[in-house]
Amino acid sequence: MWLLLFVTLAIALALLPLIPAILELVYPTDIKPLNIEYDYDRNIRRFAERFSHMLRKEISILYTQEESIELSAEKAVPPKLFALPNLPLALKEHEVQQQQLNRRLIGLGTLKLPANMKFNQEIYAENDLIGGEKNHIRAAVAENTIFLAPHTIVSRWIHAREIKISHNVKLYGRTSGKEKISFEGSAFFERLHAPIICFGNEIEKNLSTKNFQPTPFQPAVDIGNSFQHYSNDNRSIAIGDFKLPPNSVFEGNLIVKGNLNLSKGVIINGSVKVHGKTILESEVTIHGALIGIDTILCGKSCSIDGPIVSEKEIDIMSDCRLGHEDKPTSINSPIIKIDANNTVVYGTVWAAKQGIVYLLENDNNKNPFISNVC
């Protein structure tokens, strides 16, 4: 009798913590999906727009208070500094001496920053934001255009309708343009996002056609591998290294188990995946994605419609068109190097470790694909 009672009590104590779960299983009460606020995602554009909206609201509240806007801004947390259009910043003596500003800077109109200054709080401009040389900016948002002067450093993020970047600028974190981002010279970056990203300011103004007539596809000589074709999904596989001759056209998707070399003027009407190194010579066109496990070298005047992804490095030379105006793309790799001579990207450029914009002498070979978008 006592043994039965003990066993019953032990089972009851073991099941006691499970009673809420059993009741929820039998009579569910929490089966609706969570109401997620999409403004809290990791999209820097959404974050910047919320930040801008918050500051505009704070400005309107400050204007309604009885005390002066300068005094109200000084009492705010964090402290703020308001800048009036066409007037120098009202910096304190210690801020000028230390060349640092620890207050949030708000420009009521166009905001012009002094040179050789470090801004440890966010910057907001109701119109344009004009940076000074050797500025160190934590984060910034402008309703119109941001101009970054030479030798500027951005620590976290910037967002504006348009962003114009001078030479020797370092962009850590995210750089977001509602309409366009333009690089005039060499720079360092991590993440870029805009409908149009221009590298160089001499983009060809008129559309033209290629100066050659592509010939039908013909197998490259001395490839020394087996070539498999799968007609059901329009996919071809090259077991080993593969090379296409100049001005040839390849129909369908191409998978290369070794290295790939696309000669000048090659057109591929499909996507490409390469297990080895990828070399695109000049004027190559790919109407699809380009995926590489090893390094991808994109030569001059190339045109790629789809995403470009590499697990190691992507090098892009001058006069390239990547993506399309009505079909944005993405370029992703740990290391990305781009020649700042008339290359345009539509969409996103994401360098996980290091993004470099370098400037070489232009040989005046214009890109036949790029319109005057920059």
Side-chain angles (χ1 to χ4, degrees):
M1 179 65 183
W2 288 106
L3 179 62
L4 180 62
L5 183 61
F6 175 77
V7 172
T8 304
L9 183 61
I11 295 174
L13 290 175
L15 292 178
L16 185 61
L18 301 178
I19 290 177
I22 295 173
L23 292 176
E24 183 65 27
L25 181 65
V26 178
Y27 305 104
T29 60
D30 190 19
I31 60 175
K32 294 182 179 181
L34 296 176
N35 184 20
I36 299 176
E37 176 58 63
Y38 287 99
D39 284 344
Y40 286 94
D41 64 10
R42 299 182 66 184
N43 189 329
I44 189 61
R45 179 180 298 180
R46 292 180 182 272
F47 176 80
E49 289 175 352
R50 286 179 59 86
F51 178 75
S52 175
H53 175 74
M54 178 191 71
L55 289 184
R56 289 197 300 269
K57 186 176 180 180
E58 289 184 3
I59 293 172
S60 63
I61 294 175
L62 290 175
Y63 274 123
T64 61
Q65 296 179 358
E66 295 181 359
E67 57 188 5
S68 67
I69 188 170
E70 292 82 4
L71 183 59
S72 299
E74 192 66 28
K75 292 181 179 180
V77 179
K80 299 178 178 65
L81 171 62
F82 283 86
L84 299 177
N86 303 319
L87 292 177
L89 298 182
L91 298 175
K92 298 180 180 179
E93 184 177 354
H94 72 276
E95 292 172 337
V96 175
Q97 292 176 352
Q98 297 175 0
Q99 295 184 323
Q100 289 192 59
L101 180 63
N102 294 318
R103 293 181 285 171
R104 181 175 287 170
L105 180 57
I106 300 176
L108 305 178
T110 297
L111 175 61
K112 188 173 182 180
L113 304 179
N116 302 299
M117 195 80 181
K118 185 177 181 181
F119 300 90
N120 295 322
Q121 293 292 332
E122 295 84 0
I123 301 174
Y124 170 76
E126 283 189 322
N127 192 13
D128 294 335
L129 173 60
I130 303 174
E133 286 196 24
K134 298 182 179 181
N135 280 156
H136 192 149
I137 299 172
R138 181 177 187 264
V141 58
E143 299 295 341
N144 194 18
T145 304
I146 292 179
F147 301 87
L148 295 181
H151 306 284
T152 296
I153 298 176
V154 177
S155 300
R156 294 195 175 183
W157 57 267
I158 55 172
H159 174 78
R161 181 186 63 82
E162 182 178 353
I163 300 175
K164 296 184 178 181
I165 303 163
S166 187
H167 60 275
N168 296 328
V169 173
K170 294 182 179 180
L171 302 170
Y172 297 99
R174 305 186 182 208
T175 303
S176 170
K178 197 171 183 179
E179 296 181 5
K180 184 165 59 175
I181 298 174
S182 301
F183 287 85
E184 295 183 359
S186 58
F188 172 91
F189 69 90
E190 289 183 351
R191 303 180 188 181
L192 308 174
H193 178 74
I196 300 174
I197 306 174
C198 297
F199 299 90
N201 52 10
E202 296 180 0
I203 302 299
E204 179 64 37
K205 295 183 178 180
N206 300 314
L207 289 171
S208 61
T209 58
K210 288 190 173 184
N211 56 5
F212 60 86
Q213 294 297 324
T215 58
F217 167 72
Q218 50 183 317
V221 296
D222 298 328
I223 59 177
N225 57 25
S226 58
F227 195 76
Q228 303 174 1
H229 180 70
Y230 300 88
S231 58
N232 55 342
D233 56 0
N234 199 21
R235 175 168 55 99
S236 300
I237 301 178
I239 310 299
D241 296 343
F242 187 66
K243 182 176 181 178
L244 284 171
N247 300 345
S248 59
V249 177
F250 187 92
E251 297 289 343
N253 301 316
L254 175 62
I255 300 175
V256 179
K257 298 291 186 178
N259 301 322
L260 173 64
N261 188 312
L262 301 181
S263 302
K264 179 180 179 180
V266 168
I267 297 177
I268 296 183
N269 292 317
S271 296
V272 179
K273 180 179 180 180
V274 184
H275 289 234
K277 294 182 179 180
T278 305
I279 298 178
L280 277 61
E281 298 183 12
S282 62
E283 299 179 357
V284 171
T285 301
I286 299 178
H287 295 297
L290 175 59
I291 311 297
I293 295 178
D294 209 320
T295 302
I296 296 176
L297 174 60
C298 184
K300 293 182 179 181
S301 302
C302 288
S303 174
I304 302 174
D305 291 344
I308 306 174
V309 181
S310 171
E311 295 184 10
K312 289 189 176 181
E313 182 177 328
I314 298 176
D315 294 348
I316 301 171
M317 299 186 71
S318 61
D319 302 306
C320 291
R321 191 271 295 164
L322 308 174
H324 198 272
E325 190 171 3
D326 56 359
K327 192 176 181 181
T329 188
S330 62
I331 303 174
N332 296 273
S333 180
I335 300 175
I336 299 177
K337 300 177 182 178
I338 302 176
D339 184 359
N341 270 318
N342 308 334
T343 287
V344 59
V345 178
Y346 298 89
T348 301
V349 184
W350 188 337
K353 292 183 179 179
Q354 188 179 52
I356 299 174
V357 181
Y358 60 92
L359 187 61
L360 297 178
E361 292 296 329
N362 196 345
D363 59 2
N364 295 322
N365 291 328
K366 299 299 183 180
N367 189 336
F369 295 101
I370 301 175
S371 60
N372 64 338
V373 296
C374 301

